[in-house]
Amino acid sequence: MAMPSRADCESLDARDPLGRLIGEFAAGEPGWLYFDANSIGAMPRAAQGALGRIADEWRRLRRRGWKDSDWLDAPVRLGNKLAPIIGAEPGSVVVCDSTSVNIYKAVRMALALRPGRKTVVAEAGAFPTDLYVAEAAAPVLKRVDSLTGGGQTLGSVPSDTAAVLVTHTDYRSAYRHDLAALCRAAHERGALVVCDASHSAGAVEVGLAASGADFGVGCGYKYLCGGPGAPAWLYVAPRHQSAAPVIPGWMGHADPMAMSPDYKPAPGAKRHLAGTPPVAGNALMEAALDLWRDIDPQAAFAKHAALGDLLIRLVEQQCPDLSPASPHDPARRGGFVSFRHRDASAFADALEAAKVVASYRAPDVVRFGLSPLYHRYADIWALGERLRQLETVRMQ
Amino acid sequence: MAMPSRADCESLDARDPLGRLIGEFAAGEPGWLYFDANSIGAMPRAAQGALGRIADEWRRLRRRGWKDSDWLDAPVRLGNKLAPIIGAEPGSVVVCDSTSVNIYKAVRMALALRPGRKTVVAEAGAFPTDLYVAEAAAPVLKRVDSLTGGGQTLGSVPSDTAAVLVTHTDYRSAYRHDLAALCRAAHERGALVVCDASHSAGAVEVGLAASGADFGVGCGYKYLCGGPGAPAWLYVAPRHQSAAPVIPGWMGHADPMAMSPDYKPAPGAKRHLAGTPPVAGNALMEAALDLWRDIDPQAAFAKHAALGDLLIRLVEQQCPDLSPASPHDPARRGGFVSFRHRDASAFADALEAAKVVASYRAPDVVRFGLSPLYHRYADIWALGERLRQLETVRMQ
């Protein structure tokens, strides 16, 4: 297969139905190539306006903002805007808290729904916070080498497994689990599935409803572009929405302002809200979610897959020191593409010096996070060029 | 005692050492008197700059903001700025999560520190979320009529009481508990104290360290002026800081970026952090906390007490339909002053029509939240005038 040229990439950009979105983002630092979409997504231009609106409303309305503005129902409203992006049913997602807190809530809910079962199963290489939280939340955390080892999904797990906690996309290799297969296997064993889709949501298909996942969590600041430390999200499958909330706060009460001493949960996923919504954080998150208003998520996922495929081809054809650590099959790849390098830490430093923002994960991978919203095919080509030049320098 | 005149109040303002702070706040809506400091505090002018800085840093730095800006250590840095305002030791406060989530963490920590004890005691009239969360977090929630009934602090509580959860300032009457007496009584019974100081912090003395409280929580958006839905705070007494965190996330890890599969808690209160800090919310909160830089908290508390005393005097002398529901003794009064009215709901509507922002709490009180930072004595006088006029209208 011929090497894609710059002109080929520009031609792809010219035909890209999502190309208009690039103008919706504020330009980053001149001269830099930003490929850390898996860490902090770029800033939508609308974020400025959102912040200005919040400052104006806070100044003018103060307390009346709860009534005269749209602050109060933001967790549910934003959840409904996010739902199609992660393949969730309307009304089944709330935007709230941090990913860590939502993992805790989901794991504890799963345990409560499977009384008598005490074990949560996760991969030993799951995202560390998934493990930390599960270990604290569950009576027993069983770490397994792989949820898909030996060609078999899930394999043998303890019979008292209440939940399988899966890091949907591995944070080093970008390997993306087959969530539907995992849910089938877990459900056959009477266990529920909690999916941490932080490294998937907004970049690739998560398909929570179609896969049969029981709970989902993820962060808002990576591919979703909600800003640094954006509120996270929690998905609760409709069949579990009547479960008792783990942290029942006033925002999950059926009538918060009645100030009843007794807790009466709101209907739907809303009951899993606890504290007062973070108004500024939600405003930024909403500006980002609104970018998806007229986008078919499948078109975004297809573009993301094509960007990743292109990067892998460029690297394989011209960077012999880098070998793909991520699956070639885009259906098994999450939000970024990573490559192994025998001296990855030094290579990451060289990238930084060459004004490429990527990320290093010990011991041997560098990651390039790709956004279907603000990356161009020509950006991938430019990245390929810088990678090639770095290799050339090393060979001299 | 003679009725204070407008000139008296203006004279007090002229001599007020905190008077310069009023210029640090953005003006509210012209013609309105804002007395809902207990709901959403006014906006510091510096909030605009804080939002602008965050937008600029997000746009320029993206992921590098974690390293090249001050986003990452905000929870601890802000905690240290808040500590003197709530009488906490340096290093014992983190700004994070919501009040509800922090109550959950504190109650579960208290239970873990008192193994074998299963009961949490709270007043039946505690702030509702305190009760909701405690009921979910504790094996047994014992609701008592009063923690200070019959002249006795705490009285008899079950011998397996792990923790007393106290709403420091009652959200209807503004009655403020004697936290030191309560801690002594609880500790004598082997129980710990969790104090929800949401309606105290930033207005009146909380004195967490001096009172011997074990855990404290509170919100950032009331008297602390951190903006709607601001991050909350968590106080962990130094003697408990080695307790295992309830929700151990990566931000509480000794070395988050090492991505170790095993949890190793950071030293001090920092280990009680879980998820990624909300950068925009923290920036607003910091702008508000920085207003206290050159303030002696005791001077702020003294002014707050004087404002409340003044309001009670003005009302008692000229508003026969209103009777104080709050203690006359400012040492027993929290952040607001409330009054009983035989038709309080309608009276609250009349206040709104008269462009006074106050709040109604069923069945019979209206509350006026007072800030030592942005309220003038002359504002209290103006409020007294409007209240008097409303009463006059009713009598015609």
Side-chain angles (χ1 to χ4, degrees):
Chain A
M1 191 155 43
M3 258 276 286
S5 68
R6 181 177 185 157
D8 293 337
C9 292
E10 287 173 348
S11 161
L12 287 169
D13 285 322
R15 284 172 294 157
D16 176 12
L18 278 72
R20 63 166 181 85
L21 284 167
I22 291 157
E24 301 287 332
F25 285 86
E29 288 226 274
W32 283 79
L33 292 179
Y34 188 76
F35 286 99
D36 226 343
N38 50 291
S39 178
I40 296 290
M43 185 175 87
R45 286 187 193 281
Q48 290 272 14
L51 291 174
R53 202 195 96 182
I54 288 308
D56 177 62
E57 290 184 344
W58 178 13
R59 181 189 62 72
R60 275 191 307 112
L61 301 176
R62 299 179 182 171
R63 182 260 293 169
R64 292 182 298 135
W66 296 120
K67 185 160 58 72
D68 296 347
S69 185
D70 58 3
W71 302 350
L72 198 59
D73 73 343
V76 169
R77 186 175 72 247
L78 272 60
N80 282 328
K81 291 182 179 188
L82 175 58
I85 305 171
I86 53 178
E89 303 88 343
S92 63
V93 182
V94 278
V95 167
C96 62
D97 296 320
S98 66
T99 311
S100 307
V101 169
N102 286 331
I103 296 168
Y104 183 88
K105 288 166 14 183
V107 167
R108 299 280 295 188
M109 261 192 286
L111 285 159
L113 288 166
R114 289 293 177 269
R117 292 177 171 230
K118 295 193 183 317
T119 298
V120 171
V121 170
E123 288 186 340
F127 189 74
T129 292
D130 293 348
L131 298 171
Y132 307 160
V133 173
E135 190 143 53
V140 180
L141 170 65
K142 164 92 175 159
R143 300 175 189 229
V144 298
D145 285 345
S146 169
L147 292 171
T148 53
Q152 191 194 2
T153 298
L154 206 46
S156 70
V157 298
S159 59
D160 76 336
T161 299
V164 175
L165 171 59
V166 58
T167 305
H168 189 227
T169 290
D170 183 90
Y171 72 102
R172 290 148 306 197
S173 70
Y175 174 78
R176 172 158 52 114
H177 280 281
D178 180 339
L179 187 58
L182 191 63
C183 291
R184 274 194 304 275
H187 293 165
E188 277 168 15
R189 291 157 176 83
L192 302 176
V193 171
V194 178
C195 174
D196 176 355
S198 291
H199 274 292
S200 307
V204 299
E205 178 139 39
V206 183
L208 289 166
S211 68
D214 300 283
F215 300 100
V217 301
C219 87
Y221 51 80
K222 296 181 187 290
Y223 305 96
L224 292 171
C225 300
W233 53 269
L234 172 67
Y235 165 78
V236 180
R239 62 191 173 280
H240 299 312
Q241 279 170 15
S242 59
V246 172
I247 307 179
W250 67 339
M251 288 298 134
H253 195 281
D255 184 3
M257 292 307 145
M259 299 283 160
S260 163
D262 297 308
Y263 184 73
K264 188 185 161 203
K270 191 182 172 192
R271 71 178 58 195
H272 303 290
L273 296 175
T276 307
V279 172
N282 282 341
L284 293 175
M285 187 75 185
E286 188 158 22
L289 291 172
D290 280 342
L291 294 174
W292 291 78
R293 215 164 9 201
D294 306 317
I295 300 178
D296 172 5
Q298 294 302 328
F301 305 153
K303 175 179 172 184
H304 183 274
L307 293 173
D309 288 345
L310 173 63
L311 178 58
I312 291 174
R313 268 176 73 194
L314 289 169
V315 167
E316 287 189 325
Q317 295 191 11
Q318 56 190 3
C319 304
D321 282 355
L322 291 170
S323 60
S326 301
H328 282 76
D329 177 4
R332 293 278 66 80
R333 204 165 63 216
F336 57 91
V337 178
S338 65
F339 298 93
R340 283 203 187 80
H341 189 284
R342 63 173 177 274
D343 192 5
S345 173
F347 186 71
D349 291 343
L351 282 171
E352 181 96 7
K355 296 197 170 180
V356 174
V357 184
S359 54
Y360 162 68
R361 281 292 173 263
D364 62 351
V365 303
V366 285
R367 308 182 298 181
F368 300 91
L370 309 178
S371 167
L373 305 186
Y374 56 82
H375 279 134
R376 276 177 278 244
Y377 293 92
D379 295 328
I380 308 296
W381 189 85
L383 171 61
E385 277 299 283
R386 288 206 199 171
L387 292 174
R388 186 178 61 76
Q389 285 158 10
L390 279 175
E391 294 245 347
T392 307
V393 169
R394 291 173 56 87
M395 286 189 293
Q396 279 169 350
Chain B
M1 190 154 41
M3 259 274 287
S5 68
R6 180 176 185 158
D8 293 336
C9 292
E10 287 172 347
S11 161
L12 286 168
D13 285 323
R15 284 171 294 158
D16 175 11
L18 278 72
R20 65 167 180 82
L21 282 167
I22 290 157
E24 302 287 333
F25 284 87
E29 288 226 275
W32 283 80
L33 293 178
Y34 188 76
F35 286 99
D36 228 343
N38 49 291
S39 179
I40 297 290
M43 185 175 88
R45 286 188 193 281
Q48 291 271 15
L51 291 174
R53 202 194 96 183
I54 289 308
D56 178 63
E57 290 184 343
W58 178 13
R59 181 188 61 73
R60 273 192 308 115
L61 301 176
R62 299 180 182 170
R63 182 260 295 171
R64 293 182 298 136
W66 296 120
K67 184 160 59 73
D68 296 347
S69 185
D70 58 3
W71 301 351
L72 198 60
D73 74 341
V76 169
R77 185 175 72 246
L78 273 59
N80 282 327
K81 291 182 179 188
L82 175 58
I85 306 171
I86 53 178
E89 303 88 343
S92 63
V93 181
V94 277
V95 167
C96 62
D97 295 319
S98 66
T99 311
S100 307
V101 169
N102 286 330
I103 295 168
Y104 184 88
K105 287 166 16 181
V107 167
R108 298 281 296 189
M109 260 193 287
L111 285 158
L113 289 166
R114 289 292 176 270
R117 292 178 172 229
K118 296 194 182 315
T119 299
V120 170
V121 172
E123 288 186 339
F127 188 75
T129 293
D130 293 348
L131 298 171
Y132 307 159
V133 173
E135 190 144 54
V140 181
L141 170 64
K142 164 92 174 160
R143 299 176 190 231
V144 298
D145 285 344
S146 169
L147 293 171
T148 54
Q152 191 196 2
T153 300
L154 206 47
S156 70
V157 298
S159 59
D160 77 336
T161 299
V164 175
L165 171 59
V166 58
T167 305
H168 189 227
T169 289
D170 184 89
Y171 73 101
R172 288 147 307 197
S173 71
Y175 174 78
R176 171 158 52 115
H177 281 280
D178 180 339
L179 187 58
L182 191 63
C183 290
R184 275 193 304 274
H187 293 165
E188 277 167 15
R189 291 157 175 85
L192 302 176
V193 171
V194 178
C195 174
D196 176 354
S198 291
H199 274 292
S200 306
V204 299
E205 179 138 39
V206 184
L208 289 166
S211 68
D214 299 284
F215 300 99
V217 300
C219 87
Y221 52 80
K222 296 180 187 290
Y223 305 97
L224 292 172
C225 299
W233 53 268
L234 172 68
Y235 165 78
V236 181
R239 62 189 174 281
H240 299 313
Q241 279 170 14
S242 60
V246 173
I247 306 178
W250 66 339
M251 288 298 134
H253 195 282
D255 184 2
M257 292 306 146
M259 300 283 160
S260 162
D262 296 308
Y263 184 73
K264 188 185 161 204
K270 191 181 173 192
R271 72 178 57 194
H272 303 290
L273 296 174
T276 307
V279 172
N282 281 341
L284 293 175
M285 187 74 185
E286 188 158 21
L289 290 172
D290 280 342
L291 294 174
W292 291 78
R293 216 164 8 201
D294 306 316
I295 300 178
D296 172 5
Q298 294 301 327
F301 305 152
K303 176 180 171 184
H304 183 273
L307 293 173
D309 288 346
L310 174 62
L311 177 58
I312 291 174
R313 269 176 74 194
L314 290 169
V315 166
E316 287 189 324
Q317 294 191 11
Q318 57 190 3
C319 304
D321 282 356
L322 291 169
S323 60
S326 301
H328 282 76
D329 176 5
R332 292 278 66 78
R333 205 165 62 216
F336 58 91
V337 178
S338 66
F339 299 92
R340 284 204 185 77
H341 191 283
R342 64 172 177 274
D343 194 4
S345 174
F347 186 71
D349 291 343
L351 281 171
E352 182 96 6
K355 296 196 168 181
V356 174
V357 183
S359 55
Y360 162 68
R361 281 293 172 262
D364 63 352
V365 304
V366 285
R367 308 183 298 182
F368 300 91
L370 309 177
S371 167
L373 306 185
Y374 57 83
H375 279 133
R376 277 177 279 245
Y377 293 92
D379 295 327
I380 308 297
W381 189 85
L383 172 61
E385 277 300 282
R386 289 206 198 171
L387 293 174
R388 186 178 61 75
Q389 285 159 11
L390 279 175
E391 293 247 347
T392 307
V393 168
R394 291 174 57 87
M395 285 190 292
Q396 278 170 353

